[in-house]
Amino acid sequence: MCGIGGLVYTRGTQPCGQDVLDRMAAALQHRGPDGTHFARFPHADLIHTRLSIIDIAGGDQPLSAGSGTLIANGEIYNDPEIRAQIGPEHFRTGSDCESPLRLWERHGADFPRHLRGMYAIALYDSAQDELLLSRDPFGIKPLYFTEFDGGVAFASEPAVLLAANLAPRNASPLARDELLQLQFTTGRETIFKGISRVLPGETLRIVQGRILDRQRLSPLPSQPKAQPPLTEETALAQLDEALMNSVQAHERADVPFGLFLSGGIDSASLLTAMSRLPRPEKLRTWTAVFDAPNAANEAAAAAALARGAQAEHQTVRITANKVWQHLPTIVACMDDPAADYAIIPTWFLAQEATKDVRVILSGEGGDELFAGYGRYRSAVRPWWQGGRRMWRHGMFDSLDILRNRPTRWRDGIMAAEMAAPHAPTRLSAAQAVDIAEWLPNDLLLKLDRCLMAHGLEGRTPLLDPVVTDLAWHLPDTLRVRGDKGKWLLRRWLEQHCPAARPFAPKQGFTVPIGAWIAEDSARLGQLVAQQDCIQEIAKPERVRALFQAAAGRKTGPAAWTLLFYALWHQTHIRGLAPTGDVFETLNQSS
């Protein structure tokens, strides 16, 4: 895993100075602490900061072949197969990122169609003055760009473009409203005016500093021709083969790796698959536990599963004091903002895991692919049976907190819904909406930023083409049955690890942020209410009242969202680094 960045210039534009590249490299350093390299051309500059995972000694980037130069952030899981197909004699390194370069020599801009992996790739052809920017179909790895009069600049994170003064620190009001209501933002445009995402599965073709073409790969396979009904027994056998294939591929690394274990179905399934593979050393696992009254706690169940898999297990206890001490730094790593309070345990787990490993496997994608969320079951019911539209209410609806009621916050979700009817069933249409927006712009973004803040690579075996092809072609009855989602995954886990009790009620993994805020509500409410960015959008007296009622089911998440936004705005709009704990930071910025 690495950080990438660079610029391509229009003809006649003077290339930037080394100081701009140095600022970009410094902002990328946390993503690649093992080395920084530059490649300068008359009409382009490329930057790569490396986190060494495969071919530690020989895999430095940029990688070159003929007139092509590549920098990449990611892992190519079918690298062994590509090498065998092309011929090992054509490869100069053991780096899996050389495979896209060799594929480009044969297929040009269509090279991503031949990749199995997670990646953000920049490939510059100096002979044609052409840059390709490509991102994996699920959007596991991030990539951003900004257009300016003299060309296009790109980077792994918006913060890199901001640090180099390549884009202004201005927030879009529409995206801000979307963040407040959804807790994430959708589509191509980020919250920063002028900074855009390379969309999941998209390849941009930029010639002489101007974007000329876009093509896009879907993460979801097309529907096969009519086949005989799939029996549960056959589906279980196919799922077993797919999971083991994916986990084995995702374990390829020249450094130690581990697993975040929540006690839920997804991480328990990964642990079970990993425990069946041979390994030279014990598997390492980490679980978070929250120190708060009545907080959900599955630490004991997770520890028992780890012992059964003979894993070396660690429980990370998260207290209110630890959260308030580190929250400004945690929020600062979320430059593309996602106000998902799961960033808190993810960040603390990464802080501990980085002491022992360089790669973490995680269960993101299980709910989206195997239909785990209750909102899917509700979305497919007729209205007279309680069916409800997904993402129908915003976080601040009916709370009388904001000065102006957001009216367009659901535009991005509506666009995803309009594309979803192409899915084969109403259930898969609901899943497709989340796969298009919620998954890349919240869950995967959270995983990327919180792990990369500690120099860790995150891998998601459930978001693999082998698993996706199986999951997407399952009949609805093998996804949802009665009140249970992820039916087939539960049945597989029941077969291979009955101790996980996959059909037992789960306590969940909800962060007790409302309870923690309520413990110091008066001080936090006052500090948040007096922030300029909060006064611009909300009524200060109602903000203070909201924090006083933060223990409520709806008021707690709303208070957290305002707290997140206040801290985020200070770092990424005002450009101020976190100073001390949450109270000192907010007091300093007010």
Side-chain angles (χ1 to χ4, degrees):
M1 200 58 56
C2 307
I4 65 173
L7 304 96
V8 285
Y9 309 101
T10 56
R11 294 299 173 93
T13 297
Q14 184 71 23
C16 69
Q18 184 63 39
D19 60 320
V20 174
L21 303 183
D22 288 341
R23 287 199 300 273
M24 294 178 72
L28 285 166
Q29 193 66 35
H30 62 284
R31 299 188 69 91
D34 296 331
T36 301
H37 297 87
F38 302 91
R40 304 208 70 174
F41 302 90
H43 304 295
D45 289 304
L46 305 179
I47 308 162
H48 187 266
T49 62
R50 188 182 183 204
L51 175 63
S52 304
I53 302 296
I54 293 176
D55 190 12
I56 295 173
D60 285 345
Q61 298 181 34
L63 299 170
S64 298
S67 62
T69 302
L70 174 145
I71 52 176
N73 165 31
E75 300 293 343
I76 308 303
Y77 300 123
N78 63 336
D79 173 61
E81 292 79 7
I82 294 171
R83 288 172 181 267
Q85 181 182 16
I86 293 176
E89 68 276 8
H90 295 284
F91 289 77
R92 299 175 183 173
T93 75
S95 170
D96 57 321
C97 289
E98 188 175 353
S99 282
L101 183 62
R102 299 302 171 184
L103 289 170
W104 169 77
E105 290 182 299
R106 287 155 176 77
H107 303 288
D110 284 336
F111 76 89
R113 296 182 181 277
H114 304 271
L115 296 177
R116 173 190 179 187
M118 56 177 188
Y119 53 84
I121 293 172
L123 204 162
Y124 180 64
D125 182 349
S126 57
Q128 302 298 322
D129 192 14
E130 175 178 297
L131 176 73
L132 300 175
L133 296 179
S134 187
R135 191 177 176 202
D136 68 78
F138 277 108
I140 302 170
K141 290 294 98 189
L143 191 56
Y144 302 84
F145 68 94
T146 185
E147 299 180 77
F148 59 97
D149 288 341
V152 177
F154 67 91
S156 295
E157 300 178 4
V160 177
L161 302 173
L162 297 174
N165 297 321
L166 294 169
R169 293 182 181 272
N170 296 330
S172 159
L174 288 176
R176 178 203 60 205
D177 289 350
E178 190 177 41
L179 173 67
L180 293 174
Q181 291 285 70
L182 287 175
Q183 297 191 303
F184 63 97
T185 65
T186 64
R188 182 182 300 281
E189 303 309 318
T190 71
I191 197 169
F192 300 104
K193 291 182 178 179
I195 298 181
S196 304
R197 301 178 177 110
V198 176
L199 293 174
E202 190 172 49
T203 296
L204 302 186
R205 179 170 167 260
I206 305 169
V207 179
Q208 296 184 11
R210 290 288 177 256
I211 298 173
L212 293 190
D213 183 46
R214 292 181 167 97
Q215 53 184 322
R216 194 173 181 190
L217 298 174
S218 171
L220 303 175
S222 59
Q223 285 302 109
K225 295 180 181 179
Q227 296 179 349
L230 185 66
T231 67
E232 186 167 309
E233 291 72 20
T234 300
L236 283 168
Q238 293 178 359
L239 177 58
D240 185 67
E241 182 179 358
L243 283 176
M244 296 307 299
N245 181 298
S246 179
V247 169
Q248 186 170 33
H250 281 70
E251 284 194 358
R252 290 175 187 153
D254 296 334
V255 294
F257 56 86
L259 171 72
F260 287 168
L261 188 59
S262 69
I265 301 298
D266 302 328
S267 61
S269 297
L270 293 183
L271 175 68
T272 301
M274 294 170 79
S275 69
R276 294 166 60 188
L277 295 172
R279 62 188 68 258
E281 58 184 19
K282 275 192 172 184
L283 174 64
R284 293 181 173 93
T285 57
W286 290 263
T287 295
V289 61
F290 307 114
D291 187 3
N294 303 316
N297 184 355
E298 293 196 342
L305 287 177
R307 285 194 301 272
Q310 298 184 330
E312 186 176 312
H313 184 68
Q314 183 176 346
T315 297
V316 179
R317 183 167 294 276
I318 301 175
T319 66
N321 286 337
K322 287 179 67 174
V323 171
W324 301 143
Q325 178 185 353
H326 293 282
L327 189 60
T329 302
I330 297 172
V331 172
C333 80
M334 302 298 299
D335 57 335
D336 189 354
D340 185 336
Y341 42 58
I343 62 174
I344 294 171
T346 306
W347 192 92
F348 281 111
L349 287 168
Q351 184 186 49
E352 289 300 317
T354 195
K355 299 173 184 177
D356 299 307
V357 300
R358 301 295 292 274
V359 177
I360 285 292
L361 271 62
S362 187
E364 271 74 12
D367 285 300
E368 291 75 17
L369 284 179
F370 291 94
Y373 296 129
R375 60 176 177 260
Y376 299 154
R377 300 190 288 279
S378 176
V380 300
R381 296 188 195 110
W383 65 267
W384 61 86
Q385 293 180 2
R388 294 177 294 183
R389 183 177 61 172
M390 296 201 312
W391 306 103
R392 66 196 185 284
H393 294 308
M395 181 67 63
F396 288 89
D397 287 358
S398 75
L399 287 179
D400 190 29
I401 303 294
L402 303 180
R403 294 185 183 277
N404 299 302
R405 184 174 68 87
T407 57
R408 296 184 55 192
W409 63 271
R410 213 177 172 278
D411 285 2
I413 295 296
M414 289 176 61
E417 289 173 335
M418 291 176 67
H422 297 291
T425 69
R426 292 178 63 189
L427 176 59
S428 55
Q431 293 172 259
V433 172
D434 277 352
I435 289 170
E437 297 294 352
W438 155 259
L439 183 61
N441 298 322
D442 186 304
L443 301 184
L444 294 174
L445 190 152
K446 166 206 70 181
L447 184 71
D448 175 83
R449 296 304 199 277
C450 291
L451 267 63
M452 291 309 303
H454 298 283
L456 278 176
E457 173 176 297
R459 298 184 179 181
T460 53
L462 297 179
L463 295 177
D464 181 88
V466 173
V467 178
T468 302
D469 187 63
L470 170 72
W472 201 244
H473 293 147
L474 291 175
D476 287 358
T477 55
L478 292 181
R479 305 184 199 199
V480 174
R481 195 167 298 181
D483 64 346
K484 297 293 185 185
K486 293 195 280 198
W487 179 264
L488 190 68
L489 197 58
R490 291 175 190 269
R491 284 282 291 114
W492 180 88
L493 193 56
E494 183 181 50
Q495 279 191 357
H496 296 280
C497 185
R501 302 179 64 229
F503 287 97
K506 295 292 181 181
Q507 295 188 53
F509 195 63
T510 302
V511 181
I513 191 66
W516 286 333
I517 291 175
E519 291 174 356
D520 214 330
S521 59
R523 186 160 53 144
L524 281 170
Q526 177 59 32
L527 285 170
V528 170
Q530 68 191 29
Q531 304 300 309
D532 290 343
C533 65
I534 299 298
Q535 293 193 8
E536 179 185 1
I537 61 174
K539 308 166 187 175
E541 70 281 2
R542 295 296 299 153
V543 172
R544 289 188 287 269
L546 175 71
F547 275 75
Q548 291 287 354
R553 181 179 178 184
K554 186 172 177 62
T555 51
W560 152 256
T561 301
L562 290 183
L563 173 59
F564 175 95
Y565 182 69
L567 292 169
W568 178 88
H569 189 277
Q570 172 180 282
T571 299
H572 296 294
I573 299 300
R574 297 184 63 190
L576 302 176
T579 55
D581 66 16
V582 68
F583 305 102
E584 294 165 330
T585 297
L586 289 174
N587 192 55
Q588 182 258 357
S589 66
S590 61

